[in-house]
Amino acid sequence: MVIGITCYPVAGGSGIVATELGQQLAQRGHQVHFISYALPFRLDRFQKNLFYHGVETTSYPLFKSPPYTLTLAARMADVARNFELDVLHVHYAIPHATCAFLAKQLLRDFDGKQPKIITTLHGTDITLVGSDPSFYDMTRFSINASDGVTAVSKYLADETHDVFKIEKEIRVVPNFFDASRFKPKTGECSREEFVNPGEFLIAHVSNFRPVKRTFDVIDIFDRIQQQVPARLLLIGEGPDMILARRQINKRGLNGRVISLGNQSRIEAVLPCADLFLMPSEEESFGLAALEALACGVPVIGTSGTGLVEVVEDGTNGFLFPVGRTEPMAQAALGLLNDATKLKLFKDTAARCARERFATDIIVPQYEQYYQEVLDAG
Ligand code: GMT
């Protein structure tokens, strides 16, 4: 198939899933065309069958901000015309599903192949952004106008049906990881780079937005390090990072926190960690948690979110209601203080992740869905 993919190119779950999917599809012989304003974050090396089409963002004094939505739609139509796309797969409803609809309108007079539009919902496009009253109608319209819609968890599909009163089927295709890269022992980095002998390494990866509850991460870690020697490894960047640093200073934790910023290859670092913290307010899936599990790192996170579909509570991690940092820290300590249990959780984490979410299980689900949408005419 010839597949167009549009996503946000910056570090963030939806862009990462789109990029990994494009790479996997290209490996499986499809021709994949990325259309975005910058080269996606993890698309950092040449690969056969993979192409990139940049979108210009032209500024003009009259525009409050450059109308990216319009230039993106025009570029989508252009790529569809030139490469005869079978499918245009957009990740994140706003504005990508709307742009795809516009592109389709631009292609109305085109005699060649008309691409099918598939929208994948990732989470904040529905739970936060999409349900903002000013985005509600446009999001609902764009989902309904897509030829096919997928969501990364049942939790998100249900939420979309509820909030947007969508009647069409939303296919659940969970996120996935490349088992040849995300595994417990890669030999790429060693614990000694982060911790002294006898210390534990607690990791957190996010875009440091309020929804991630960075303060809870620090609070859980603080409680842990008061009981056992430990260091906190922070990966990613975002608006709450400055406040987080202040909090770390205030609690006198400076010497115990290591910050690496955005890393395009977290699989090199994650296997060094003992535990992963994801106490988010909202999480449609929790890709970073899955990548941690795949590297053999148990997860402490929040129940009542899509994490319940990823983390097996009591088996490869523990889930608690949002904000319950005390029991989260106690659960972490329960593992760190029991070497046999920690080893069991680590082994189970990697095994469960591989059995349920490896690329060879999930990517064919996307291929099959593309085919179903194409066959539907
Ligand atoms: O987590 C974020 O805020 C980034 C966001 C995105 O779209 O880039 O992530 C969402 O999509 C990821 C990939 O499907 C999911 O794993 C995350 O759970 C989801 N984030 C939220 O729901 C908060």
Side-chain angles (χ1 to χ4, degrees), residues 12-14 17 92 122-124 152 175 207 209 212 282-287:
S14 59
V17 171
Y92 212 87
H122 282 274
T124 46
V152 297
N175 288 335
N207 47 25
R209 294 199 204 126
K212 301 293 176 179
E282 186 68 69
E283 206 64 66
S284 71
F285 182 91
L287 179 67

Side-chain angles (χ1 to χ4, degrees), residues 339-361:
T340 315
K341 197 170 170 190
L342 180 60
K343 166 93 175 60
L344 179 68
F345 269 57
K346 285 186 173 193
D347 292 346
T348 315
R351 185 171 41 76
C352 290
R354 236 185 2 258
E355 283 171 4
R356 297 175 59 207
F357 301 110
T359 34
D360 50 337
I361 300 165

